[in-house]
Structure formats: C-alpha cells, structure tokens
Amino acid sequence: MITSLHLGFGERRIDADTARAVQMAGLILTERLMEFSGGLEDDIPALSNRERDCLAFLADGRRDQEIADLLGITETTVRFHIDKARRKLGARNRTQAIARLANLRLL
C-alpha cells in the first residue's frame, strides 16, 4: 500500500498554473482513491444549474467577478452558489468541490 507520493520538479519554483494543475491532480486522485475504498457516498448530490455553472467556470480558472459578469449576477451571488454547491458535495474548499464534481463526472 502506498502511503505517500513525492513529485519532483527540475526547478525549485514552479509557476502558478503548474502548481494549480498539480494540486487539482492530487485532489482528483484523492477523490478516486476514496471512491475505490467506498469513502464517497453513492448518492450524487442534486446541484442546481447555476451551482454547476459557477463551479465549471471556477474550474476553468475564472475569478468570482468574471463568473458574475458572464452569468449576469453579482459576485456575492456567485460566492453563494459556489459555497452551496461545496456544502452539497461535502467538500472542505472550492478546489475539493471541483475535484469531487470532476470525479463524479459532472464537470
């Protein structure tokens, strides 16, 4: 059983996009491992279209204000939808919510 994984990079510093991609890959891997071990519920949470849209734009790297402009809603409403979806998915943070949504093949 593997208990840890080490990723090595040639450079001491990695750019923000690479760091974000590695973090997302790690979260998706964690979600998949939880699924195989029976750690994720079988019930797929019922997300609203707006919650799903907000998470999809967030996964695409958009900021809250950009999402608000695209959807014609306020930034506060975007945060509301993302937080509501995060709670429905049982995620601790936005990144984990996106990983969980991807794992459920809803993204």
Side-chain angles (χ1 to χ4, degrees), residues 29-69:
L29 176 61
T30 299
E31 292 295 319
R32 295 291 290 162
L33 291 172
M34 288 173 64
E35 180 182 290
F36 290 131
S37 69
L40 290 177
E41 295 180 18
D42 291 333
D43 297 330
I44 296 175
L47 298 180
S48 71
N49 290 336
R50 193 62 94 186
E51 291 164 349
R52 205 171 287 146
D53 289 344
C54 287
L55 284 177
F57 282 127
L58 189 65
D60 194 36
R62 308 277 185 159
R63 299 186 191 284
D64 290 352
Q65 186 59 58
E66 290 177 284
I67 298 169
D69 292 343

Side-chain angles (χ1 to χ4, degrees), residues 2-48:
I2 298 173
T3 58
S4 67
L5 175 68
H6 174 76
L7 296 175
F9 294 92
E11 302 292 324
R12 286 191 156 260
R13 293 180 185 233
I14 57 174
D15 61 89
D17 288 337
T18 302
R20 193 170 24 255
V22 169
Q23 180 183 18
M24 180 59 71
L27 285 168
I28 290 172
L29 176 61
T30 299
E31 292 295 319
R32 295 291 290 162
L33 291 172
M34 288 173 64
E35 180 182 290
F36 290 131
S37 69
L40 290 177
E41 295 180 18
D42 291 333
D43 297 330
I44 296 175
L47 298 180
S48 71

Side-chain angles (χ1 to χ4, degrees), residues 53-94:
D53 289 344
C54 287
L55 284 177
F57 282 127
L58 189 65
D60 194 36
R62 308 277 185 159
R63 299 186 191 284
D64 290 352
Q65 186 59 58
E66 290 177 284
I67 298 169
D69 292 343
L70 287 166
L71 297 176
I73 58 178
T74 67
E75 188 174 353
T76 302
T77 303
V78 169
R79 285 193 299 269
F80 169 79
H81 287 305
I82 291 171
D83 191 53
K84 192 171 178 187
R86 180 192 58 76
R87 283 184 273 124
K88 285 180 180 181
L89 291 163
R92 291 182 175 250
N93 56 47
R94 293 167 158 222

Side-chain angles (χ1 to χ4, degrees), residues 88-104:
K88 285 180 180 181
L89 291 163
R92 291 182 175 250
N93 56 47
R94 293 167 158 222
T95 306
Q96 187 181 27
I98 294 167
R100 189 153 292 171
L101 199 64
N103 187 46
L104 293 170

